[in-house]
Amino acid sequence: MTFYRQVGSIPPKRHTQHRRPDGGLYAEELVGEEGFSSDSSLLYHRGIPSSIVDARTWELPDQTLTANAPLVPRHLRLHDLEFKEADPVLGRRLVLGNADVRISYAVSTAPSPYYRNATGDECVYIERGSATVETVFGALTVGRGDYVIIPRATTHRWVPAGAEPLRTYAIEASSHIAPPSRYLSRYGQFLEHSPYCERDLRGPVEPLLAEGTDVEIYVKHRGGGTIHVVPEHPFDVVGWDGCLYPYAFNIADFEPITGRVHQPPPVHQVFAGQNFVICNFVPRKVDYHPLAVPVPYYHSNVDSDEVMFYVDGDYEARKGSGIGLGSISLHPGGHPHGPQPGAAEGSLGVEFFDETAVMVDTFRPLDLGEAGLASDDGRYAWSWSGRGPTA
């Protein structure tokens, strides 16, 4: 993370004695990235964080990936998917993935188990609904339009709130996820040209302490999954400080960058991971040159696949394609893509786009997960020509 936070009870100096009311020592845990050379936080536990009393295999949901072959653009209808598991972790269905990132979708009404992703950071976008994300650092209250960034190996669980089902779009990295470096000073402060800043980020504000024994934690890791049983409740942290912690950022707090002519997708970037970026398209004033064409030009991103998740509004460039709310468009590298026929002409003179979408661009090809195969409309590739293959 880009700035320091202090929550709960900590000693004046790090790596010094911090005692419980009964005189015993709290257990100090360093949670750090890249060995000891990047962001970290120090947590103070009532119990011993290494303690486990049992471990058994967790059979992960179907992680099978199938190549996008023959190579075609695809339209995936996430709202057509059915969900047997009704929680935001066990209920995830894999839509797309490669070695760097996996994109899953879930519709939930029940709390998740305690969970820890030991493979990489997670960025979970909340399409609809609300929840409390309980973590070892404290709790976050989150809702529609929130990105929730959860650092690797953070023990947490999702607790849906309210009557509306919680719809979550999970972007799981094999690396860390952070704001783009071009938005930050060399010391990590957001710069003046950044479309968001520290004031827009919400982190835990107080410890979350719970009681319990023999608690199960579902751990996702390279090679599969494991259920650890810990002797005491994992939410036993009385205080912590540092620059590594979960936080939330709402898409409505992103300030769009616009210009007289069409701006390229990097102006919409919100986060970055290894070999992928996350961008968002929000309601905004569009190009104001007198001869501007507001919708995107046709483009071949030869080094990347583009995944667009349409969550609100009316996306001008995709009119007539069948794409609507809850849709994903997959435009693979090696195939040019752009507006549907008539969309460019139809956009002339338009001054405002009322659209909200989350985009992931990957620098290695994406394969289709079981949910991607199940939700493919089978027709999108032919939407520019108006006809498909003949018998």
Side-chain angles (χ1 to χ4, degrees):
M1 198 39 244
T2 59
F3 64 97
Y4 171 87
R5 292 180 73 94
Q6 177 180 319
V7 171
S9 173
I10 63 172
K13 293 283 287 184
R14 57 185 177 179
H15 316 317
T16 59
Q17 298 175 32
H18 187 26
R19 294 198 174 273
R20 302 191 302 257
D22 64 4
L25 283 173
Y26 289 115
E28 181 184 38
E29 178 192 12
L30 175 73
V31 177
E33 298 176 342
E34 300 176 14
F36 293 87
S37 59
S38 189
D39 290 346
S40 66
S41 287
L42 284 167
L43 286 68
Y44 294 88
H45 294 263
R46 294 188 300 199
I48 298 174
S50 303
S51 296
I52 59 173
V53 295
D54 194 10
R56 60 183 188 273
T57 299
W58 166 31
E59 295 295 338
L60 296 175
D62 189 349
Q63 301 294 294
T64 305
L65 290 169
T66 302
N68 181 13
L71 186 73
V72 291
R74 296 178 184 269
H75 170 203
L76 313 179
R77 297 177 177 271
L78 298 190
H79 287 183
D80 289 350
L81 294 171
E82 296 181 355
F83 292 87
K84 296 178 181 178
E85 298 285 352
D87 82 66
V89 172
L90 301 184
R92 290 179 184 175
R93 295 185 63 180
L94 182 61
V95 180
L96 296 161
N98 61 23
D100 303 309
V101 63
R102 291 156 302 283
I103 298 173
S104 301
Y105 189 67
V107 180
S108 313
T109 55
S112 75
Y114 296 99
Y115 171 60
R116 180 187 301 156
N117 188 335
T119 302
D121 292 359
E122 293 191 355
C123 171
V124 181
Y125 180 80
I126 300 178
E127 180 193 6
R128 294 290 187 275
S130 60
T132 299
V133 184
E134 300 175 343
T135 85
V136 69
F137 293 88
L140 296 170
T141 300
V142 297
R144 180 173 175 172
D146 275 333
Y147 291 101
V148 185
I149 304 295
I150 302 175
R152 177 186 293 183
T154 297
T155 301
H156 67 284
R157 75 166 180 164
W158 290 81
V159 183
E164 183 179 18
L166 180 67
R167 292 182 174 270
T168 48
Y169 185 73
I171 303 164
E172 303 175 42
S174 297
S175 61
H176 300 302
I177 298 173
S181 59
R182 69 178 182 278
Y183 293 168
L184 306 175
S185 76
R186 59 180 173 145
Y187 300 111
Q189 182 180 8
F190 280 96
L191 295 169
E192 284 294 295
H193 69 273
S194 171
Y196 64 102
C197 72
E198 291 88 350
R199 297 184 188 186
D200 300 315
L201 308 181
R202 311 189 320 267
V205 296
E206 61 184 2
L208 176 62
L209 296 170
E211 302 291 340
T213 58
D214 293 349
V215 177
E216 293 183 343
I217 302 174
Y218 285 64
V219 182
K220 184 176 184 180
H221 52 83
R222 286 182 174 85
T226 297
I227 300 173
H228 284 158
V229 182
V230 298
E232 299 178 59
H233 203 287
F235 296 162
D236 68 341
V237 173
V238 299
W240 62 271
D241 77 328
C243 294
L244 181 64
Y245 47 85
Y247 63 93
F249 168 70
N250 195 274
I251 196 170
D253 290 323
F254 187 89
E255 301 301 331
I257 298 170
T258 61
R260 276 177 30 101
V261 296
H262 194 80
Q263 300 297 295
V267 303
H268 304 284
Q269 188 177 353
V270 59
F271 299 114
Q274 182 176 329
N275 290 328
F276 73 94
V277 299
I278 302 171
C279 302
N280 47 215
F281 294 78
V282 300
R284 64 197 182 280
K285 179 179 177 62
V286 291
D287 322 335
Y288 43 91
H289 186 285
L291 297 179
V293 179
V295 298
Y297 37 79
Y298 294 96
H299 49 290
S300 295
N301 290 352
V302 295
D303 292 323
S304 62
D305 282 12
E306 177 197 277
V307 180
M308 191 79 78
F309 177 40
Y310 304 86
V311 296
D312 262 319
D314 186 9
Y315 203 76
E316 290 285 338
R318 297 276 80 85
K319 284 184 175 179
S321 67
I323 283 176
L325 300 186
S327 290
I328 279 181
S329 61
L330 168 62
H331 297 135
H335 184 274
H337 65 278
Q340 305 305 129
E345 192 74 34
S347 74
L348 300 182
V350 173
E351 297 182 351
F352 186 84
F353 281 176
D354 182 17
E355 60 189 25
T356 306
V358 174
M359 185 175 81
V360 178
D361 271 10
T362 68
F363 297 102
R364 284 200 270 194
L366 284 162
D367 295 327
L368 293 155
E370 58 82 18
L373 293 171
S375 60
D376 188 358
D377 81 346
R379 301 185 303 273
Y380 180 62
W382 331 124
S383 63
W384 288 269
S385 65
R387 63 184 180 90
T390 56

